[in-house]
């Protein structure tokens, strides 16, 4: 990559701090988007497909937080919990 294509700061500490900040932001965006989708009635398979991960992975990462937030989660057979 040339310098024009590489947006990294010259200082590795700054570059790594930027990566960490982007990961935190991505996690926050994912949490909000998953909650929005589940409140809108999406199923775990729909959310997992949209995120490109397995249903089990998205459920493991988000279910407890969503339940604590009062989100009614879907179970197999389109039932609401």
């Amino acid at each position: 990559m040339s310098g024009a294509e590489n947006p990294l700061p010259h200082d590795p500490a700054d570059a790594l701090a930027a990566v960490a900040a982007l990961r935190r932001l991505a996690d926050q965006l994912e949490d909000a988007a998953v909650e929005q989708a589940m409140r809108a009635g999406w199923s775990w398979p729909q959310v997992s497909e949209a995120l490109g991960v397995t249903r089990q992975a998205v459920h493991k990462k988000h279910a407890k937080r969503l339940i604590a937030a009062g989100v009614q989660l879907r179970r197999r057979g389109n039932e609401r919990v």
Side-chain angles (χ1 to χ4, degrees), residues 12-64:
D14 290 342
L16 292 169
V19 169
L22 287 170
R23 284 185 179 151
R24 284 189 303 273
L25 178 58
D27 285 342
Q28 291 170 357
L29 291 171
E30 180 179 328
D31 288 351
V34 169
E35 183 170 339
Q36 179 184 32
M38 296 306 284
R39 286 187 186 277
W42 283 39
S43 67
W44 290 114
Q46 287 174 304
V47 173
S48 68
E49 183 177 337
L51 290 174
V53 299
T54 66
R55 181 190 61 78
Q56 293 84 355
V58 76
H59 185 274
K60 181 178 180 179
K61 184 173 182 180
H62 296 284
K64 286 182 184 179

